[in-house]
Amino acid sequence: MENSRETEIRQQIDAYIKGQLSEEEIQALWNEFAKNPELLDVLEVEVNVKELIEREALTSKPETGSATIRKLPSYTWHVAAAAVFVIIALVQIFRIETPTEIDQFVVNRIGPDQVETSDGVRAAKDMRITTADSLLNLGFEAIVSGNKDRALELFDEVINRFDEEPYGSKAFLNKGIILYNESNYEEAISAFREAAERVEDSRMISEKAYWYLGNALVNVGELEEAQKAVFEAYQLDGIFRQPAFRLLKKLNDDLGSTDYEGFDAQQLE
C-alpha cells in the first residue's frame, strides 16, 4: 500500500475510533479491512494506545495549574475494542469462504520439453531413423523456433502417412500441446484423446495424454470429464501424480463426490 493511502487509512481509523465517520465511511473502512487484514493491527494499536492514555488520565491526579485532560466517553473505547473483534471474525469468515480458484491447479503453458520426438535406436538390429522419426524431430525444431504452423503441418503429415505406433500417439500428443498453448482447448482435447486411445506400450505418453487432456477439459468447464482424465493420469503413478492429486482433489471438492477406489483425499492434507 502506498504511503499516502496508508496515511489516509490511519486517519480514517482514528476518526472511526472517535466516532466521526458516517455509516458509508464506516462501511468503506470495513471493506478495506476485508481486503487488507494487516490493517487490523493498526486498529488494535490505535485502540490499545488510546485506552492506555485514558486509563493514565483517570488514575493520575493533575498537578495544580495543569491543563484539564478531556476524555471521550468511556463507552467509545468499549465499542471500538469490540469492533476489532467483530472485524477480525468477519475477515476470518471472508477468508474461509473465499474458494481457491481451480485455475491455480491447471497447467498454464506446456513446455517444449514435453514434446515427443524420435526414439532413436529402438533395438540393436534397428539402427535407422525412419521418415516418421525425422518428421517428429523437425516438428520439435519448428516448435522451438516459434513456427507453430509448420510444426502442426509436420505432425499432421505423420498422422496421415504413418498411422502406426508410436508415431500416431506422439504426433497427436504434440499437436495437442501446440493447440493447448494457443488456448484452442477444444481441438487440443480431440488431439489428446486420440493420443490416449492410440498409445501402445508407452506409459509416459499415456500419462501425458491423460494429464493434459484433463487440464484442457477443465479449461472448457467439463469438470466431470476432466475428473476422469486426471484420475487416469493419477493412477499411472508417474511424474504427474502429485499435481494430478491436487487437481483431482479440487475437482472432487467442486463436484462434491469421489468415486475412485485408491484415491486417498487425506494424503496431502
Side-chain angles (χ1 to χ4, degrees):
M1 182 180 294
E2 298 180 355
N3 291 336
S4 59
R5 182 58 177 161
E6 183 175 352
T7 300
E8 182 183 346
I9 294 297
R10 286 178 179 275
Q11 291 172 345
Q12 289 177 330
I13 289 173
D14 183 67
Y16 170 69
I17 293 173
K18 294 176 180 178
Q20 297 173 351
L21 294 185
S22 66
E23 289 297 326
E24 292 77 11
E25 290 171 327
I26 291 173
Q27 183 60 52
L29 183 59
W30 281 37
N31 291 338
E32 289 291 339
F33 287 134
K35 291 186 292 184
N36 301 292
E38 68 273 11
L39 293 174
L40 292 173
D41 295 334
V42 178
L43 177 58
E44 286 188 283
V45 169
E46 293 290 334
V47 171
N48 291 336
V49 169
K50 284 180 168 54
E51 191 169 17
L52 286 173
I53 292 174
E54 187 68 22
R55 287 177 181 174
E56 183 66 21
L58 289 174
T59 57
S60 300
K61 293 181 179 180
E63 297 180 2
T64 305
S66 63
T68 302
I69 299 177
R70 298 183 180 276
K71 65 182 183 70
L72 292 173
S74 60
Y75 69 83
T76 303
W77 305 121
H78 295 295
V79 172
V84 173
F85 294 106
V86 171
I87 295 172
I88 290 174
L90 288 174
V91 170
Q92 292 300 321
I93 292 173
F94 176 80
R95 285 174 175 169
I96 293 171
E97 292 184 350
T98 301
T100 304
E101 297 297 331
I102 198 167
D103 59 11
Q104 296 181 30
F105 301 90
V106 175
V107 174
N108 181 43
R109 184 174 183 80
I110 305 173
D113 59 310
Q114 297 300 306
V115 174
E116 288 290 326
T117 56
S118 164
D119 285 336
V121 178
R122 292 182 296 279
K125 64 181 180 180
D126 184 7
M127 301 295 290
R128 65 190 177 87
I129 298 295
T130 68
T131 302
D133 288 320
S134 297
L135 290 171
L136 288 171
N137 292 342
L138 287 171
F140 173 75
E141 182 182 8
I143 290 175
V144 174
S145 300
N147 193 345
K148 305 299 175 58
D149 291 338
R150 175 58 177 160
L152 286 173
E153 289 177 3
L154 290 164
F155 296 139
D156 280 336
E157 186 174 352
V158 174
I159 292 167
N160 295 328
R161 291 179 57 190
F162 304 96
D163 189 15
E164 58 184 279
E165 284 305 300
Y167 307 118
S169 60
K170 285 185 175 184
F172 272 112
L173 177 69
N174 294 349
K175 185 176 179 178
I177 289 173
I178 295 173
L179 294 168
Y180 186 98
N181 288 341
E182 295 294 315
S183 300
N184 188 346
Y185 300 118
E186 293 290 354
E187 291 191 31
I189 288 168
S190 178
F192 289 138
R193 278 188 170 140
E194 285 282 356
E197 291 172 1
R198 288 168 177 262
V199 64
E200 298 174 1
D201 303 322
S202 177
R203 191 168 186 170
M204 174 55 73
I205 295 176
S206 184
E207 185 184 12
K208 286 182 182 180
Y210 280 117
W211 170 238
Y212 294 128
L213 171 60
N215 279 261
L217 286 164
V218 170
N219 276 292
V220 297
E222 296 185 25
L223 300 189
E224 291 183 356
E225 289 299 310
Q227 190 180 45
K228 295 174 185 176
V230 174
F231 183 67
E232 291 292 339
Y234 170 81
Q235 279 191 310
L236 289 167
D237 197 17
I239 62 172
F240 298 114
R241 182 174 175 84
Q242 292 300 316
F245 178 93
R246 289 188 284 270
L247 179 53
L248 194 58
K249 187 174 185 300
K250 175 59 179 173
L251 287 166
N252 171 65
D253 291 343
D254 287 356
L255 294 172
S257 65
T258 300
D259 299 323
Y260 303 122
E261 183 180 354
F263 176 67
D264 181 5
Q266 304 300 317
Q267 181 179 339
L268 292 183
E269 290 186 346

